[in-house]
Amino acid sequence: MIKILANDGIDPIGKKMLEDAGFFVETNNIPQDELPVRLQEFDAITVRSATKVRAALIDACPNLKLIGRGGVGVDNIDVDYAKAKGIGVYNTPASSSLSVAELVFAQLFTGVRFLHDSNRKMPVEGGTKFNDLKKAYAKGVELRGKTLGIVGFGRIGREVAKIAIGVGMDVIAYDLFEFNPEVEVVLGTGGTKVNVTVKKATLNEIIKTADFITLHTPFIDKALIGAEELAQMKKGVQLINISRGGLIDELALIDALNSGQVSYAALDVFDNEPTPRQEILSHPKISLTPHIGAATNEAQERIGVELASLIIGHFSK
């Protein structure tokens, strides 16, 4: 029997698919430092973002035949090394796109109406300074008619664009690779479909002209948005990073927030996960979530089903 360690969990439907296909699935988490010994009992491992599968772990587990990543990024897996060892590496890039895109807009709406700060202060000051807080949050803005710059126009970027179009925003998009600027927007439960073309832009154009910027690119060796880029942005710009920690220079971001160059930032990912720097955690102009972009019931079910199908297909070859 093929044994699979779902070390960061797997949706029950995906687990049942695997068990029905004759696989043994272990869902109890094994701590990272114990994996070099205990993973040797398994033929495959599935992870999300918490567990790391590096070269040393791969070398310690000669029976390993497959690594599955429930989600998009594979930054926590030494993919090329694994493939060179003949190990199959799979991820589920399409399954979580909508959930991530919806979190982007949860954060955009939060920023323009100061919900992040209001939710901190109302419980403490709402009973004594209600009118002061009402005045402090009286200068919200609407998203309609504003320009959203999407950096990275893959599956998630395209889902973000669809929501933005529905809200009435002007969308400009950049990607390292050539892309189709046309997106299909489905209206309501009736399924009416409308094709809309977004404007292609350079990264520099987005940095200089967008009212809101959201990042959806793979991990890179240095920050994509640093002090120089922040200084070139429109004063009062709002930034969203629900992609990869390290894409924004966090210390430069804090300086830009303190100066007013950036009016708001929303971060779901951080430089030092799982221990983000305190200056980020306590900043009043930052809305925070703990790396939950794909953490919806619907996305996790889709991820589990897709991952199970990939694993079954791999071992059926």
Side-chain angles (χ1 to χ4, degrees), residues 164-176:
I165 291 164
V167 171
M169 302 186 80
D170 294 323
V171 178
I172 56 177
Y174 162 80
D175 199 283
L176 277 172

Side-chain angles (χ1 to χ4, degrees), residues 91-112:
N91 65 339
T92 59
S95 297
S96 58
S97 301
L98 178 57
S99 291
V100 176
E102 288 189 355
L103 183 57
V104 169
F105 268 84
Q107 294 288 22
L108 284 170
F109 282 117
T110 291
V112 295

Side-chain angles (χ1 to χ4, degrees), residues 286-298:
I286 301 178
S287 179
L288 303 156
T289 48
H291 205 146
I292 58 166
T296 64
N297 294 336
E298 295 86 350

